[in-house]
Short mmCIF file of all heavy atoms in Angstrom, two decimals:
data_model
loop_
_atom_site.label_atom_id
_atom_site.label_comp_id
_atom_site.label_asym_id
_atom_site.label_seq_id
_atom_site.Cartn_x
_atom_site.Cartn_y
_atom_site.Cartn_z
N LEU A 126 117.85 145.90 45.22
CA LEU A 126 118.40 144.64 45.72
C LEU A 126 118.09 144.56 47.20
O LEU A 126 117.81 145.58 47.84
CB LEU A 126 119.89 144.52 45.43
CG LEU A 126 120.87 145.55 46.00
CD1 LEU A 126 121.27 145.22 47.43
CD2 LEU A 126 122.12 145.59 45.14
N ALA A 127 118.14 143.37 47.73
CA ALA A 127 117.80 143.15 49.14
C ALA A 127 118.99 142.56 49.88
O ALA A 127 119.74 141.75 49.32
CB ALA A 127 116.60 142.21 49.26
N LEU A 128 119.16 142.97 51.12
CA LEU A 128 120.15 142.37 52.00
C LEU A 128 119.39 141.71 53.14
O LEU A 128 118.63 142.36 53.86
CB LEU A 128 121.11 143.43 52.56
CG LEU A 128 122.23 142.88 53.44
CD1 LEU A 128 123.25 142.15 52.57
CD2 LEU A 128 122.93 143.98 54.21
N LEU A 129 119.58 140.39 53.27
CA LEU A 129 118.91 139.63 54.32
C LEU A 129 119.94 139.27 55.39
O LEU A 129 120.98 138.67 55.07
CB LEU A 129 118.28 138.35 53.77
CG LEU A 129 116.91 138.45 53.08
CD1 LEU A 129 117.00 139.29 51.81
CD2 LEU A 129 116.36 137.07 52.78
N ALA A 130 119.68 139.64 56.62
CA ALA A 130 120.52 139.25 57.76
C ALA A 130 119.83 138.12 58.50
O ALA A 130 118.66 138.26 58.89
CB ALA A 130 120.75 140.44 58.69
N LEU A 131 120.52 137.01 58.66
CA LEU A 131 119.92 135.80 59.26
C LEU A 131 120.68 135.39 60.50
O LEU A 131 121.92 135.45 60.53
CB LEU A 131 119.92 134.67 58.23
CG LEU A 131 119.34 133.32 58.66
CD1 LEU A 131 118.68 132.64 57.46
CD2 LEU A 131 120.41 132.39 59.24
N MET A 163 120.04 129.81 47.31
CA MET A 163 120.78 130.68 46.39
C MET A 163 122.24 130.32 46.55
O MET A 163 122.80 130.40 47.65
CB MET A 163 120.52 132.16 46.67
CG MET A 163 119.09 132.60 46.41
SD MET A 163 118.84 134.40 46.53
CE MET A 163 119.55 134.92 44.96
N TRP A 167 125.48 134.01 49.52
CA TRP A 167 125.52 133.97 50.99
C TRP A 167 126.91 134.27 51.52
O TRP A 167 127.92 134.00 50.88
CB TRP A 167 125.09 132.59 51.49
CG TRP A 167 123.63 132.33 51.39
CD1 TRP A 167 122.98 131.63 50.42
CD2 TRP A 167 122.62 132.81 52.27
NE1 TRP A 167 121.64 131.62 50.65
CE2 TRP A 167 121.38 132.34 51.78
CE3 TRP A 167 122.64 133.58 53.44
CZ2 TRP A 167 120.18 132.62 52.42
CZ3 TRP A 167 121.43 133.86 54.08
CH2 TRP A 167 120.22 133.38 53.57
N ALA A 168 126.96 134.80 52.74
CA ALA A 168 128.22 135.01 53.45
C ALA A 168 127.97 134.74 54.93
O ALA A 168 126.86 134.95 55.44
CB ALA A 168 128.75 136.42 53.26
N PHE A 175 124.51 135.05 59.26
CA PHE A 175 124.72 134.96 57.82
C PHE A 175 124.03 136.14 57.15
O PHE A 175 123.05 136.69 57.68
CB PHE A 175 124.13 133.66 57.26
CG PHE A 175 124.73 132.41 57.84
CD1 PHE A 175 124.28 131.90 59.06
CD2 PHE A 175 125.73 131.72 57.17
CE1 PHE A 175 124.82 130.75 59.60
CE2 PHE A 175 126.28 130.56 57.70
CZ PHE A 175 125.83 130.08 58.91
N VAL A 176 124.54 136.54 55.99
CA VAL A 176 123.85 137.56 55.19
C VAL A 176 123.71 137.05 53.76
O VAL A 176 124.53 136.27 53.27
CB VAL A 176 124.59 138.92 55.18
CG1 VAL A 176 124.69 139.50 56.58
CG2 VAL A 176 125.95 138.80 54.53
N LEU A 177 122.64 137.49 53.13
CA LEU A 177 122.38 137.15 51.74
C LEU A 177 122.18 138.44 50.96
O LEU A 177 121.34 139.27 51.32
CB LEU A 177 121.12 136.28 51.62
CG LEU A 177 120.56 136.08 50.21
CD1 LEU A 177 121.56 135.32 49.35
CD2 LEU A 177 119.22 135.36 50.26
N LEU A 178 122.96 138.61 49.90
CA LEU A 178 122.78 139.73 48.99
C LEU A 178 122.00 139.21 47.79
O LEU A 178 122.47 138.33 47.07
CB LEU A 178 124.13 140.29 48.56
CG LEU A 178 124.09 141.58 47.75
CD1 LEU A 178 123.62 142.73 48.64
CD2 LEU A 178 125.46 141.89 47.17
N ALA A 179 120.81 139.75 47.60
CA ALA A 179 119.92 139.26 46.55
C ALA A 179 119.62 140.37 45.55
O ALA A 179 118.69 141.16 45.75
CB ALA A 179 118.62 138.73 47.16
N LEU A 182 115.78 141.73 42.61
CA LEU A 182 114.42 141.59 43.10
C LEU A 182 113.59 142.80 42.64
O LEU A 182 114.04 143.94 42.67
CB LEU A 182 114.41 141.51 44.62
CG LEU A 182 115.13 140.29 45.23
CD1 LEU A 182 115.03 140.32 46.73
CD2 LEU A 182 114.54 139.00 44.69
N ALA A 188 111.18 139.77 48.03
CA ALA A 188 112.11 139.60 49.16
C ALA A 188 111.45 138.79 50.27
O ALA A 188 112.07 137.92 50.89
CB ALA A 188 112.56 140.96 49.68
N ALA A 189 110.16 139.06 50.52
CA ALA A 189 109.43 138.31 51.54
C ALA A 189 109.31 136.84 51.15
O ALA A 189 109.47 135.93 51.98
CB ALA A 189 108.05 138.92 51.76
N LEU A 191 111.35 135.17 49.27
CA LEU A 191 112.67 134.57 49.44
C LEU A 191 112.94 134.25 50.90
O LEU A 191 113.45 133.17 51.23
CB LEU A 191 113.74 135.52 48.90
CG LEU A 191 115.20 135.10 49.08
CD1 LEU A 191 115.47 133.76 48.40
CD2 LEU A 191 116.13 136.18 48.53
N ALA A 192 112.58 135.16 51.80
CA ALA A 192 112.78 134.93 53.23
C ALA A 192 111.98 133.72 53.70
O ALA A 192 112.45 132.91 54.50
CB ALA A 192 112.39 136.17 54.03
N ARG A 193 110.76 133.58 53.21
CA ARG A 193 109.93 132.43 53.59
C ARG A 193 110.58 131.12 53.12
O ARG A 193 110.54 130.11 53.84
CB ARG A 193 108.53 132.56 53.00
CG ARG A 193 107.71 133.69 53.61
CD ARG A 193 106.25 133.61 53.16
NE ARG A 193 105.52 134.80 53.57
CZ ARG A 193 105.31 135.86 52.80
NH1 ARG A 193 105.77 135.85 51.53
NH2 ARG A 193 104.65 136.90 53.24
N VAL A 195 113.76 130.54 52.69
CA VAL A 195 114.92 130.27 53.55
C VAL A 195 114.47 129.73 54.90
O VAL A 195 115.03 128.73 55.40
CB VAL A 195 115.75 131.56 53.73
CG1 VAL A 195 116.86 131.33 54.76
CG2 VAL A 195 116.35 132.00 52.40
N SER A 215 115.75 133.52 62.30
CA SER A 215 115.03 134.78 62.13
C SER A 215 115.78 135.60 61.09
O SER A 215 117.00 135.48 60.96
CB SER A 215 114.94 135.54 63.46
OG SER A 215 114.26 134.79 64.44
N ILE A 216 115.06 136.45 60.36
CA ILE A 216 115.64 137.20 59.25
C ILE A 216 115.21 138.66 59.33
O ILE A 216 114.04 138.96 59.59
CB ILE A 216 115.22 136.59 57.90
CG1 ILE A 216 115.80 135.19 57.72
CG2 ILE A 216 115.66 137.49 56.74
CD1 ILE A 216 115.33 134.48 56.46
N GLY A 217 116.17 139.55 59.07
CA GLY A 217 115.88 140.96 58.91
C GLY A 217 116.20 141.37 57.48
O GLY A 217 117.20 140.92 56.91
N ILE A 218 115.36 142.23 56.88
CA ILE A 218 115.51 142.59 55.46
C ILE A 218 115.65 144.09 55.31
O ILE A 218 114.84 144.86 55.85
CB ILE A 218 114.30 142.11 54.63
CG1 ILE A 218 114.05 140.60 54.84
CG2 ILE A 218 114.50 142.42 53.16
CD1 ILE A 218 112.78 140.09 54.20
N ALA A 219 116.68 144.51 54.58
CA ALA A 219 116.85 145.91 54.20
C ALA A 219 116.94 145.97 52.68
O ALA A 219 117.58 145.12 52.05
CB ALA A 219 118.10 146.50 54.84
N LEU A 220 116.30 146.97 52.08
CA LEU A 220 116.23 147.09 50.63
C LEU A 220 117.03 148.30 50.14
O LEU A 220 116.98 149.37 50.76
CB LEU A 220 114.77 147.25 50.18
CG LEU A 220 113.81 146.11 50.54
CD1 LEU A 220 112.40 146.47 50.14
CD2 LEU A 220 114.24 144.81 49.89
N LEU A 231 123.13 149.22 54.87
CA LEU A 231 122.16 148.14 54.66
C LEU A 231 122.30 147.07 55.73
O LEU A 231 121.31 146.56 56.25
CB LEU A 231 122.35 147.54 53.27
CG LEU A 231 121.86 148.37 52.08
CD1 LEU A 231 122.31 147.73 50.78
CD2 LEU A 231 120.34 148.53 52.11
N ALA A 235 119.46 146.01 58.32
CA ALA A 235 118.97 144.63 58.30
C ALA A 235 119.12 144.00 59.68
O ALA A 235 118.26 143.21 60.11
CB ALA A 235 119.73 143.82 57.26
N GLU A 236 120.18 144.34 60.39
CA GLU A 236 120.37 143.82 61.75
C GLU A 236 119.29 144.35 62.69
O GLU A 236 118.79 143.62 63.55
CB GLU A 236 121.75 144.22 62.26
CG GLU A 236 122.06 143.80 63.68
CD GLU A 236 122.14 142.29 63.85
OE1 GLU A 236 122.45 141.60 62.87
OE2 GLU A 236 121.89 141.81 64.97
N LEU A 239 116.34 142.38 62.02
CA LEU A 239 116.51 141.04 62.57
C LEU A 239 116.17 141.00 64.06
O LEU A 239 115.49 140.08 64.53
CB LEU A 239 117.96 140.57 62.35
CG LEU A 239 118.39 139.29 63.05
CD1 LEU A 239 117.57 138.10 62.56
CD2 LEU A 239 119.88 139.03 62.80
N PHE A 250 110.40 136.78 59.82
CA PHE A 250 111.23 137.82 59.21
C PHE A 250 110.58 139.18 59.43
O PHE A 250 109.37 139.28 59.69
CB PHE A 250 111.46 137.56 57.72
CG PHE A 250 110.22 137.63 56.88
CD1 PHE A 250 109.81 138.83 56.31
CD2 PHE A 250 109.46 136.50 56.65
CE1 PHE A 250 108.67 138.91 55.54
CE2 PHE A 250 108.30 136.56 55.88
CZ PHE A 250 107.91 137.77 55.33
N PHE A 252 110.88 143.45 57.94
CA PHE A 252 111.49 144.48 57.10
C PHE A 252 111.95 145.64 57.97
O PHE A 252 111.35 145.94 59.02
CB PHE A 252 110.49 144.99 56.06
CG PHE A 252 110.33 144.08 54.88
CD1 PHE A 252 109.33 143.12 54.86
CD2 PHE A 252 111.18 144.17 53.79
CE1 PHE A 252 109.17 142.28 53.78
CE2 PHE A 252 111.03 143.33 52.70
CZ PHE A 252 110.03 142.39 52.69
#
Side-chain angles (χ1 to χ4, degrees):
L126 60 83
L128 183 73
L129 278 65
L131 180 147
M163 294 188 77
W167 285 100
F175 300 83
V176 299
L177 168 64
L178 188 69
L182 297 181
L191 176 59
R193 292 190 189 96
V195 173
S215 299
I216 294 175
I218 306 173
L220 300 175
L231 286 171
E236 178 65 27
L239 170 62
F250 65 90
F252 281 93

